[in-house]
Amino acid sequence: MVLLTLIAAITVGIIRLKNLFAVVVLFSAYSFLMASVMLVLDAVDVALTEAAVGAGISTVLLLGALYLTKSEEAPARFSSLVPLLVAGGTAVILVWGTWGLPDFGSATSPVNTGVGSEYIARSYEETHIPNVVTAVLASYRGFDTLGEVTVVFTAAIGVMMLLNRGRGKGETQGEADGVGGGENGEG
Amino acid sequence: MELISAIVEHYNYWAVIFLMVGGLYIVVAKSNMIKTLIGMALFQTSVYLLYLSPGKVLGGTPPILDKAIKTYSNPLPHVLILTAIVVGVATLAMGLALIVRINEAYGSIEEDEVIDLVDREDAAE
Amino acid sequence: MRLDVILRIAAKLMIPFIMLFAIYVQFHGHYSPGGGFQAGVIIAAAVILYAIVFGISAALRVMPRAAVEFMVPLGVGIYAGTGIVSMLLGRPFLDYDPLLADPVAGQYWGVFIVEVGVLVTVAGAMLAIFYAFALRGRP
């Protein structure tokens, strides 16, 4: 509960600050707190990933992008009343919706009696892997993970296409990089 | 007493909603594109929390099987969110790359300034 | 005399252990939290730390750009190739049972191979994206 309150406080900071550098650093702290919350929620694999990805890699990428662009936000041109109303209205509807959600930590809620408990019961006999998350990730839901790896692959290709070419004059630079990768692939 | 238990049982969800709405507010209100991307990341992490919260079982342990333990938390949300995090950072990188290229082309990372420049170019043609 | 001696020595001390931890996370992923995604990201983070402290050209000597870009499709190939092997053995795509004589052992090692594929793609993709951003500011 304390962690969640801290996260909420950081969110307010992210919304209000104008200096993007500070926002990125706050976002890194936010990710680290989020990893702690996930640890409390028993999602150890997810916490490990969030700590490495959210607090590590995405902070580096955001800082790299800030270095290439600007680190100060321009003052707002429009009043923020309408977005505030939209966000507040959404919040009210969503809070109304939470009364239909299962109680926190209940073992008999529909979420926890479905296929999840089936995985826990069967995965050790079928794969001999004690970590159920690994077994489900790579075996029972192998298709999902293949698609997901393909998404990462596609994103990497996209970023390379966008950024590996020179600024106007260096068309040949990008071409040379592509050819270099191809040759390595064959060798 | 009932009020306190209602608050405790729903605190996770309310935190999720606060983060979600904060992300939504940034996306709608701010015109700086890097800030908008951070808002979308906030929205995304709130969804991770929304998935993980119902999967927790009180008194349960992480889903790593052992003979001594009887209660485990639900592993299915963990799997889904694990893949979602890595996809999230990949799409974030993609968006940042687009912003870097926009900044090179128009010299600005403010959405409305870029739109103004594009309109002016269209009018000149 | 460079002024960042402490940073450089600390990084030099830490990077081998970060790599070791990544390998542990990868190969112990069947028994403890971890797997291909986490290990890939940790490896990428170690190389990024090296690049930040010792300069991008030093990192490019350790992990050349072409090698990193080759890793991205290689991992997807390992993953999909495992599925195709099980198809050739007469079972559905990505069914690991026929990979070994014992179906349970087949599952165990099938998961292992697939996780290696995930590791290669994720580490390669993260490093490729980092290099793309880091080398963009240079002429």
Side-chain angles (χ1 to χ4, degrees), chain C residues 5-6 15 23 35 57 59 62 64-66 70 85 87 91 98 115 123-124:
Chain C
V5 179
I6 295 176
I15 286 170
I23 293 167
S57 45
V62 181
R65 213 169 176 185
F70 178 56
V85 166
M87 260 170 98
R91 298 296 299 274
E115 291 273 3

Side-chain angles (χ1 to χ4, degrees), chain A residues 44-45 48-49 52-53 57 60-61 65 68 125-131 134 137-139 142-143 145-146 148-149 152-153 156 159-160 162-167 177 180 184-185, chain C residues 25 29-34 37-38 41-42 44-45 48 65-66 69-70 72-73 76 79-80 93-94 96 104 107-108 111 114-115 118 121 125-126 128-130 132-133 136-137:
Chain A
V44 277
D45 291 80
L48 188 55
T49 320
V53 169
I57 304 274
V60 170
L61 293 181
L68 293 174
E125 276 110 65
E126 290 182 358
T127 63
H128 275 250
I129 298 172
N131 187 353
T134 304
L137 183 82
S139 184
F143 247 64
T145 312
L146 176 62
E148 192 270 334
V149 170
V152 174
F153 164 76
V159 171
M160 285 192 276
L162 282 168
L163 293 186
N164 279 6
R165 293 182 183 267
R167 300 180 183 212
D177 276 352
N184 194 291
Chain C
V25 164
H30 285 19
Y31 303 99
S32 63
F37 291 108
Q38 292 92 335
V41 172
I42 293 170
I48 290 175
R65 213 169 176 185
E69 288 171 8
F70 178 56
V72 180
V76 180
Y79 201 128
F93 188 62
L94 286 176
Y96 311 129
V104 173
Q107 286 284 347
Y108 188 93
V111 169
V114 159
E115 291 273 3
V118 172
T121 295
M126 293 302 153
I129 292 169
F130 171 70
F133 276 100
R136 185 65 182 170

